Amino acid sequence: MKVKKYIAPTMPEVMKKIRKDLGKDAVILNSKEIRTGGFFGFFTKPSLEVVAALDPEPIYTEKSKDTDQFKKTTRPIRDEKNSAKEYNRFEYGEMQSLLRSLANEKSHSNHLPPDILKIMNQLEEQGVQQELRNVISKQMLKKWYQENSEQEANEKLLNWLREVLLSILPEKGFGGFQYDKRFLNLIGPTGVGKTTTIAKIAADAVLNKKKKTALITTDTYRIAAIEQLKTYAEILNIPLEVAYNHEDFNKAKQKFHDYDVILVDSAGRNFKNAKYVADLEHIYQFNEEMENYLVLSLTSKHADMVKIVSQFEKVPIDKLVFTKKDETETYGDILNICHQTGIGVAYITIGQNVPDDIKEGSRQHILNLVIGDIHHA
């Protein structure tokens, strides 16, 4: 058995040396990060030390026409099944060593192939969180190491990225309101654009879906919000009721008993106040005839979005709505929050114009937003 030690700055560079020297039948026995260079322990650089081995299993071929000696092959002849096993054993060893190193965030960039690293950096610029980027890079690396050559792998990177992101996003729960329930309730903190969003949905229901539509608002804390919704209701020629408490809400429900859909604009309050969610539960008494959308602004900090989602965990959230797409150029938090919650996206709004600036959410649309400008060439 031939055993050799290799040292290089990155795993791809080590792999090239191993493949060139020992071939694809080699097996990685051990790998670790070491520090090389420097002066009296200072200014050292991280490198990888990999021990690989090859058992050539020599066999002899037919006698050569030019010599009486037997020619010894440098690579054993195996059937395709065994050859595939040996190759996969080598690749598996490589991936396991590499994925273990990726668990350490500091060494993350040292071991990624350059084109994958570039994509990860671009995802970081889009606001995709480190934990999720690690998940993405690991899955892409598995595909990358299964290719026959680095060139073939790099040509497929963007397709792999789309495949991995699709596997991360929930499979269901995307698209706008389907009108299989009578009540659609928009909830969320103040300032995220609930009132404008509900006006856009109402306009679509009336003008495009031809539904008999009514509005209820419980946002009695902001007079401007009530006046704004009244203006939209007058333009669309649909009724609006203001509910100050649970009794008012039930009266409004009874008044609109023969309507196809009732859109509810809930009060926008400080999301840090737990009493706000308790008030919502008391007013609405969430049930099977109501669909609930949590509205989040893409201009919010990621930490605030996480806190908002956590605050509303007692409410049965059916879908998410992301607003203010036109006010930011980073959309990674759509991916982050969908992955974290397992909840799909109903709508993404892109401006103040009613009813135009709204688009139904889809997995493909989210991918286009997050990776639309990503390239690795």
Side-chain angles (χ1 to χ4, degrees):
M1 177 179 288
K2 187 177 182 180
V3 179
K4 292 192 67 174
K5 181 189 295 182
Y6 299 87
I7 297 176
T10 67
M11 181 61 80
E13 292 179 64
V14 174
M15 284 178 53
K16 288 180 181 178
K17 292 182 178 181
I18 295 174
R19 281 174 168 158
K20 182 179 179 180
D21 196 15
L22 301 181
K24 292 183 178 180
D25 287 326
V27 177
I28 291 180
L29 301 179
N30 183 49
S31 69
K32 63 180 180 179
E33 186 173 299
I34 61 174
R35 310 292 297 191
T36 60
F39 182 73
F40 288 106
F42 295 98
F43 309 113
T44 60
K45 296 181 179 179
S47 296
L48 280 178
E49 179 185 281
V50 177
V51 178
L54 175 68
D55 184 1
E57 298 178 13
I59 66 170
Y60 295 93
T61 62
E62 295 182 359
K63 195 173 184 180
S64 170
K65 294 180 181 180
D66 300 325
T67 178
D68 291 337
Q69 294 182 349
F70 288 103
K71 184 188 296 182
K72 185 167 67 175
T73 63
T74 58
R75 184 174 178 179
I77 298 176
R78 302 180 176 87
D79 58 50
E80 292 184 1
K81 183 177 181 181
N82 288 334
S83 180
K85 286 182 178 178
E86 291 294 315
Y87 176 77
N88 289 338
R89 186 156 61 107
F90 171 58
E91 297 295 341
Y92 180 76
E94 289 181 19
M95 284 192 292
Q96 289 299 101
S97 299
L98 181 57
L99 296 183
R100 281 194 297 269
S101 71
L102 288 179
N104 181 358
E105 183 177 333
K106 292 183 179 179
S107 66
H108 179 83
S109 60
N110 293 335
H111 308 310
L112 287 175
D115 280 22
I116 293 183
L117 176 59
K118 184 175 182 179
I119 288 175
M120 292 305 109
N121 289 338
Q122 290 170 315
L123 288 178
E124 182 178 11
E125 292 174 2
Q126 272 292 318
V128 178
Q129 294 294 295
Q130 176 70 51
E131 181 181 357
L132 188 50
R133 295 200 309 275
N134 284 347
V135 171
I136 296 168
S137 64
K138 288 177 183 180
Q139 292 190 36
M140 291 185 68
L141 277 168
K142 290 179 181 179
K143 297 176 181 291
W144 194 84
Y145 280 114
Q146 290 168 356
E147 286 298 312
N148 293 326
S149 70
E150 185 173 337
Q151 180 179 354
E152 292 180 15
N154 288 337
E155 290 173 353
K156 299 178 181 179
L157 281 179
L158 291 183
N159 288 334
W160 291 343
L161 179 59
R162 286 185 171 273
E163 290 176 10
V164 172
L165 294 187
L166 282 174
S167 71
I168 286 172
L169 287 169
E171 293 186 4
K172 299 180 180 179
F174 290 87
F177 189 57
Q178 298 300 307
Y179 301 95
D180 50 353
K181 296 183 180 180
R182 292 184 63 241
F183 289 86
L184 173 59
N185 179 31
L186 266 62
I187 61 178
T190 185
V192 295
K194 291 191 306 299
T195 302
T196 304
T197 300
I198 208 166
K200 294 172 183 176
I201 299 173
D204 180 64
V206 173
L207 302 176
N208 299 324
K209 304 298 193 302
K210 309 301 180 183
K211 299 291 184 179
K212 188 176 182 182
T213 305
L215 294 171
I216 300 176
T217 180
T218 64
D219 193 356
T220 58
Y221 298 91
R222 294 188 306 132
I223 301 300
I226 297 177
E227 295 303 318
Q228 182 183 14
L229 203 56
K230 280 183 178 180
T231 301
Y232 289 133
E234 290 173 1
I235 293 172
L236 294 171
N237 194 28
I238 58 177
L240 166 68
E241 288 292 317
V242 179
Y244 292 89
N245 50 45
H246 176 61
E247 289 73 21
D248 289 343
F249 186 76
N250 279 337
K251 289 178 182 178
K253 286 175 62 177
Q254 291 298 321
K255 183 175 182 178
F256 298 141
H257 72 279
D258 61 340
Y259 278 71
D260 298 324
V261 58
I262 299 95
L263 304 177
V264 183
D265 182 20
S266 67
R269 302 282 294 279
N270 187 340
F271 68 88
K272 296 180 181 179
N273 187 352
K275 186 176 183 300
Y276 169 40
V277 179
D279 290 343
L280 290 178
E281 291 182 289
H282 175 70
I283 292 175
Y284 299 132
Q285 295 182 347
F286 301 112
N287 54 50
E288 294 181 357
E289 64 176 348
M290 179 177 288
E291 197 160 306
N292 303 294
Y293 293 174
L294 176 61
V295 183
L296 301 169
S297 169
L298 286 171
T299 60
S300 300
K301 298 178 183 176
H302 173 75
D304 287 342
M305 286 193 191
V306 172
K307 180 67 175 178
I308 292 167
V309 171
S310 175
Q311 192 73 6
F312 286 95
E313 62 183 3
K314 294 183 179 180
V315 177
I317 302 299
D318 296 288
K319 295 180 183 179
L320 302 169
V321 175
F322 289 95
T323 62
K324 304 187 180 182
K325 171 185 171 291
D326 56 310
E327 297 182 24
T328 182
E329 295 182 352
T330 58
Y331 312 112
D333 271 322
I334 302 178
L335 196 65
N336 295 327
I337 300 301
C338 286
H339 176 67
Q340 176 190 346
T341 63
I343 302 174
V345 178
Y347 300 101
I348 298 174
T349 71
I350 55 178
Q352 295 295 315
N353 292 329
V354 178
D356 299 324
D357 292 345
I358 188 170
K359 184 177 179 64
E360 290 193 11
S362 71
R363 299 166 86 220
Q364 200 61 49
H365 179 47
I366 292 170
L367 292 193
N368 291 340
L369 288 177
V370 176
I371 67 175
D373 294 330
I374 287 182
H375 55 86
H376 69 281

